[in-house]
Amino acid sequence: MEPIKCLIIGSGPAGYTAAIYASRSGLKPVVYEGPLSGGQLTQTSEIENFPGYPDGVDGNQLMDDLRKQAERLGAEIRFGVINHVDFGTEKGGIHKAVTDDGDEIEARTIIICTGASAKYLGISDEKKYAGMGVSACATCDGFFYRKKIVAVVGGGDTACEEAQYLSHLASKVYLIVRRNVLRASEAMQQKVKACDNIEILWETQTEGLFGDDGVEGAHLVRRKGSPDEERLDIRIDGFFLAIGHHPNTEAFLPRTAADGVMMPGVEVDNEGYIIVKHPTTATNLPGVFAAGDVADPIYRQAISAAGSGCHAAMDAERYLNGI
């Protein structure tokens, strides 16, 4: 069987948009959706910042619209997970992807759109209140908490940025910091400390959330394990996690094959995000491209992911045409 022209790994805005553009270019793409069809946006109840939906749109509806559009244009969409890929290392080489069922797919180009998963604290209430007050993206969901009280967990640059962003929308922002110092840059620390409506809760950890129809508060503990440990509850309407993201790149990293041979993989940065050769979406491997949050530690927005999916499909077409 001839290798397919374009294999897209992962769904979400990047994967489906790549499928739309690859289909229109005649690449007959095959999409493996991954463990969560439609990606993380399917866990979001309402999206108000994606162009074309003046009244907002449910995350599942948005992803279903993109999926149907890709299918109508000719993309073949399969439910399944790619376990690993044996990459060809020469220009024009063939890449072999292996699914969790053991199936093998040979492809001339691959577009990786597996996203990045938010890191969670590990408390059960995070799942219980997902989409009901718990969020990992202030830019995405902060609008819903105008003039309300929210909490942000974390002590790095991301947490400080999210707290500062939310301070312009919410009436009060608690910044819950596990240590007695912030890890953020000095400039970012000063900005947070200068905000009148941001209160930093030092040496504090979250033990749980409470509420009937959504988050209404958080159970906290200060100086956990110490003689002066203190337990307290705070009233909040939203709980934002800002302790980092984990790029879903495991299937594409260098690995040792069963015969002991070291197989090549995509190049990643210190945080695990795939490095692309800007202004393209090309990786260090010929014919392999990356789009969306898996290669974006900065923006992490649906619209920017969709845009990079478009770029990746165009880059794949140019590669196949020898441009």
Side-chain angles (χ1 to χ4, degrees):
M1 183 180 295
E2 280 288 313
I4 63 176
K5 292 182 179 179
C6 182
L7 172 64
I8 299 170
I9 303 175
S11 45
Y16 288 151
T17 303
I20 289 169
Y21 276 79
S23 296
R24 284 175 53 83
S25 298
L27 302 188
K28 298 180 180 179
V30 173
V31 180
Y32 270 81
E33 291 186 303
L36 185 61
S37 298
Q40 294 185 67
L41 277 189
T42 59
Q43 308 299 299
T44 302
S45 57
E46 187 173 1
I47 299 167
E48 294 200 332
N49 57 356
F50 198 90
Y53 293 91
D55 299 319
V57 61
D58 177 81
N60 280 289
Q61 182 63 55
L62 173 60
M63 300 321 302
D64 192 48
D65 288 346
L66 289 176
R67 189 183 199 275
K68 288 177 179 177
Q69 186 175 2
E71 287 185 307
R72 181 179 67 81
L73 292 169
E76 180 183 345
I77 299 179
R78 302 175 183 175
F79 179 76
V81 176
I82 300 297
N83 268 357
H84 66 267
V85 180
D86 293 337
F87 293 105
T89 57
E90 303 295 329
K91 184 170 176 60
I94 302 302
H95 311 290
K96 184 172 69 175
V98 181
T99 73
D100 53 351
D101 292 328
D103 296 332
E104 296 183 354
I105 306 102
E106 292 188 337
R108 295 176 62 192
T109 64
I110 288 180
I111 301 176
I112 301 171
C113 305
T114 47
S117 302
K119 294 180 181 178
Y120 287 82
L121 297 173
I123 59 176
S124 60
D125 290 335
E126 291 170 314
K127 291 184 178 180
K128 177 181 178 180
Y129 293 105
M132 301 169 60
V134 172
S135 172
C137 180
T139 309
C140 307
D141 300 326
F143 183 78
F144 301 111
Y145 297 92
R146 289 170 297 174
K147 299 182 180 180
K148 295 185 178 182
I149 302 173
V150 300
V152 176
V153 178
D157 280 316
T158 298
C160 288
E161 288 172 8
E162 302 250 300
Q164 187 181 25
Y165 174 83
L166 289 166
S167 72
H168 299 296
L169 299 168
S171 61
K172 183 178 181 65
V173 179
Y174 290 104
L175 181 59
I176 302 173
V177 183
R178 182 173 57 88
R179 301 167 60 190
N180 61 357
V181 294
L182 291 170
R183 293 180 290 104
S185 65
E186 184 62 30
M188 185 56 66
Q189 290 187 42
Q190 294 306 317
K191 289 180 180 179
V192 166
K193 292 175 181 178
C195 286
D196 293 334
N197 63 336
I198 295 179
E199 180 179 347
I200 302 176
L201 301 178
W202 302 104
E203 297 182 272
T204 303
Q205 298 181 52
T206 307
E207 292 209 320
L209 303 170
F210 61 87
D212 293 330
D213 299 320
V215 171
E216 295 177 5
H219 301 299
L220 306 179
V221 57
R222 277 180 172 160
R223 295 175 291 278
K224 186 174 182 178
S226 68
D228 58 345
E229 177 179 288
E230 175 190 1
R231 295 182 179 275
L232 67 155
D233 290 346
I234 58 171
R235 286 284 176 177
I236 55 173
D237 303 291
F239 184 77
F240 289 83
L241 293 147
I243 54 177
H245 286 73
H246 172 71
N248 301 315
T249 56
E250 289 81 2
F252 317 110
L253 300 176
R255 67 183 184 87
T256 303
D259 58 4
V261 175
M262 178 60 71
M263 306 299 293
V266 295
E267 184 181 2
V268 298
D269 65 15
N270 291 334
E271 296 181 7
Y273 290 90
I274 295 177
I275 297 172
V276 295
K277 300 175 182 177
H278 291 294
T280 73
T281 60
T283 69
N284 59 302
L285 298 171
V288 180
F289 308 89
D293 288 7
V294 75
D296 176 16
I298 300 174
Y299 300 106
R300 295 196 299 268
Q301 297 298 302
I303 188 62
S304 56
S308 66
C310 159
H311 296 167
M314 295 175 71
D315 288 338
E317 180 191 14
R318 290 172 64 86
Y319 172 85
L320 291 169
N321 290 333
I323 300 175

